[in-house]
Structure formats: structure tokens, C-alpha cells
Amino acid sequence: MNSNAIDTLSSPLKLRCGLVLPNRLVKAPMAENMAIPSEDNLPNDKHLAVYRAWSEGEYGMLITGNVEVDPRYLGIPGDISVLPSALDTPLALSRWTAWATAAQASGTPTIVQLNHPGRQSHPFSGTRSFFSKNIAPSALPLEFPGSCVDRLAGKIILGTPKAMTVAEIDTLVDQFTLAAKLSKAAGFKGVQIHAAHGYLLTQFLSPKINRRADAFGGSAAARLSLLLRIIASVRAATSKEFCIAIKLNSADFATMGLEEEEVLHQVEEISKAGVDLIEISGGTYEKPLMGASREGPAPPRQSTVAREAYFAAFAAKARVAAGKDVAIMLSGGFRSRLGMAGTITDGSCDLIGLARPTCLEPQLPKSKLLAKEVTDEDAVVKSFKIVGGWWMKWVPVVGLRAETAWHEGQIKRIAAGKEPDGDLALGLGGLM
């Protein structure tokens, strides 16, 4: 027998910009690693195929995987990136337009996640030379947790970044703005500005990483100024109807040297800046909560609601700080219809972000979560187990990347017209 959970999840939501989402389930961003460096990291047929599959799943919204605003600095080699000449390059604009069309083929509004990895840019990614340094607010390297293998890998692979000049910060604002203009021109309904998971904008927000003494550091207001400037520039270059979302870290802010009070103040100021949606997620390379695996479905009991959502307690506080006009999306840990609906009805959030479950069940809302013929007891996400991945717990950062690659493999299977493989084995050979 079904509860009223379906009614909760299937109710539409109108964002401040006027965009109407048909329901509360959002396909959240994930690493895809499908762009081809020799083709300027443009969207390709694989992106079209997988987003067309997701578009048929009856999500309330799709948010794309990472699109890097500077082609010199990518998180991974297969990230989509934005060429400086993209708006004036017919091939680039046509590829982006085809991508937007495929993603919204069934009427699902789609927004593009825009990012710059900063000091987390992989040296084998992007158009910069191998020996050039990453960039960051200050010249501070990552401090990887875990084993000596993790720490050594971090030092060798990422190294110590160089502090950005003011001119480089000005260029960064222009890059985010250009990417938003390209997204709008292609037909996407908005963008999500990535300020979580330890990437560059997160680095500026963090007093632990941002040691600057100029207009972009030294105080809470100064550390937030870059993000607010990007929001204003994107809004001015697009329209009031264009959705602007922000992705923020949640209860793991202490690892970034932040107090909860400052993070909630950031939420309040970002809301005042005129954004439409704030996604609460969590984790950094130094404390990778966002990649923690949770194998198997959660039991569909009301008692699971609190523990299904990783960051629900902080999201409830952010909900208050943001005010009633800004939607809060919560991502991470959801495994059952009842858990998702319960988090909305208790006021913690307005939207549910679903990421890794969509790799195994690309049409999850249509086939299960919103399907009236599926009982609450059966409306849970598909179980998975990474066979042979036992070694990951001994090398957590390397293991996290391997687990991410496993999910990327599922996305590529969908793009190839194949069924996801929930029993795919991943041993040491799975890294090759």
C-alpha cells in the first residue's frame, strides 16, 4: 500500500526565476568523463545518448556533470570545457545546442553545472603544459587524508598551486559569464555555479585555503565577494528568467576552516544576490564525503528518513537562512521513496538530488519512485556492489577515484545503449 509520498514527490515547484519543475526529483551532477580532448572537449554523441535516456525518466530537472569554464584546467581529462571562442564557433554552438535538445527532448528542464577545479586540476587534463602550476586563491597544496600512498599521490599529481593574480580573477569572472551565455544560447534553462567539493570557488570561500589580504580574502565578506560577483555577472549577461543555481558544501564545512554561522551567512547573502536554487552537498578531496558508497537500498521505514539524507540537518538550517523565495535541493544518501518524501515534508528541503542511483536506473522516477503501481516498500533504489573493490579502504583517495570511475562506466554503458551492470567487478585491473 502506498502513502502520500508520491503526491509529495510529484508536486510541481516554481522557482523564483519562473521556471516550473514538474516534480521534486532532480538528476544531480556526476563525473561523466566522456568528452574527447582531441575534439576540444565538446559535447559528443555519448552525451546526447545518455541525456536523452535521462530525459525520458520524468525527472523534475536534470543538472549536467562538470563543465569546466577554462579549457586549460580540467578536473579529469573527459570533462566538457568551454572554449573562449565558443559563441563564435559554429561547431561548438551546434554541439551544445544538440546536447540541450537531447536533454530536454521529453520536456525536462536542464541546467549546466559550471566549474573550475583550481588546485584540484589533474595535470594530464586540459590544454596547459604539464609543468605549469594549478591556480588557487593562495599557494597552499591539498592535504590528502589516509595512507602514505594517498598523500604521496596528492603531492606528485597535484603539487603546490600558484596564487591567482587579480587579473586572473577578473578573467575567471568572464569565463563563468561566457559559459552561462553559451548555455543560454544553446537552449539550456540555466546554470549551476559549483562552489562545493573543494573546487576553486570553494577554495575562495575557505579561510583555511584563502590566505589573501586583498579584496578577495581576509574577511568573510571578502572571501564571498568573488562568488557574488560571478552571480551578478551571469545574471546581467543572461536574463531574469534564466535559472541560476549554486552548489555549496554542507556540514563538512569545518574541514574548510569554516564555522556553521559563516556558512549560513553565505547562504543568506547568496540568496539576496538573486539566485533561484541552492544545492546542499558535501565533501572535498581532503574529506571525500560526497563519494562515500552506500551499498544496497535503505529499508523503507519512517525511521530511515533522518539517516538516509547525509546532510539533512544542515539543509534545514540553510532552508531558513535562504528565505522562502530560494529553493533548497539536498543531494546525498537518498535511497527510498519514503526517505525522500519525508525530508521534503519535514521542511529540510524542496528538491531531492539523485546522482549515483541514476547510473543504474536512468529512468528511476518513471519506473519506480513516481510509479503508483510500485509500493512504498519496493520504491527503493537498486542495490549495487563493486566486486573486487576490497582494496579501496586501504587507499581511500585512490579508491574513491576508482569507485567514481565505476559509476562513469555505468553512464557510458547507458550512452552505448546497454543496460547498466550492477555486478561489474572492479579490482586493481579496473583502474587501467
Side-chain angles (χ1 to χ4, degrees), residues 16 221 224 227-233 235 244-246 248 261-278 318-328:
R16 178 154 66 175
L224 183 59
L227 179 55
L228 296 181
R229 184 177 163 190
I230 290 172
I231 293 169
S233 181
R235 179 63 76 199
I244 299 179
I246 303 294
L248 288 177
E261 182 179 358
E262 181 174 343
V263 181
L264 292 175
H265 179 69
Q266 291 173 357
V267 170
E268 182 179 0
E269 293 301 309
I270 290 167
S271 177
K272 291 178 181 177
V275 304
D276 307 290
L277 169 64
I278 298 174
R319 163 75 281 152
V320 175
K324 60 183 178 61
D325 293 332
V326 177
I328 297 294

Side-chain angles (χ1 to χ4, degrees), residues 15 19-28 50-64 98-112 187-190 351-352 358 362-366 370:
L15 301 181
L19 182 64
V20 177
L21 311 189
N23 63 63
R24 305 304 181 95
L25 301 174
V26 178
K27 196 290 291 179
V50 74
Y51 276 87
R52 191 175 291 111
W54 277 325
S55 78
E56 296 170 354
E58 298 183 1
Y59 295 88
M61 175 186 275
L62 305 181
I63 306 179
T64 73
W99 185 27
T101 300
Q104 299 171 123
S106 298
T108 304
T110 303
I111 66 175
V112 179
F188 287 104
K189 297 300 187 289
L351 295 164
I352 302 297
T358 72
Q363 298 186 11
L364 184 58
K366 179 181 180 180
L370 301 180

Side-chain angles (χ1 to χ4, degrees), residues 208-222:
K208 178 181 175 182
I209 303 169
N210 182 351
R211 305 287 180 83
R212 303 176 72 94
D214 60 6
F216 300 99
S219 69

Side-chain angles (χ1 to χ4, degrees), residues 137 164-167 169-170 173 204-205 210-229:
M164 295 175 69
T165 65
V166 172
I169 292 173
D170 291 341
V173 175
F204 270 90
L205 294 174
N210 182 351
R211 305 287 180 83
R212 303 176 72 94
D214 60 6
F216 300 99
S219 69
R223 289 192 296 272
L224 183 59
S225 63
L226 174 58
L227 179 55
L228 296 181
R229 184 177 163 190

Side-chain angles (χ1 to χ4, degrees), residues 55-83:
S55 78
E56 296 170 354
E58 298 183 1
Y59 295 88
M61 175 186 275
L62 305 181
I63 306 179
T64 73
N66 261 346
V67 170
E68 307 295 1
V69 300
D70 188 336
R72 296 172 297 175
Y73 301 95
L74 307 184
I76 49 179
D79 281 345
I80 292 174
S81 65
V82 178
L83 296 171

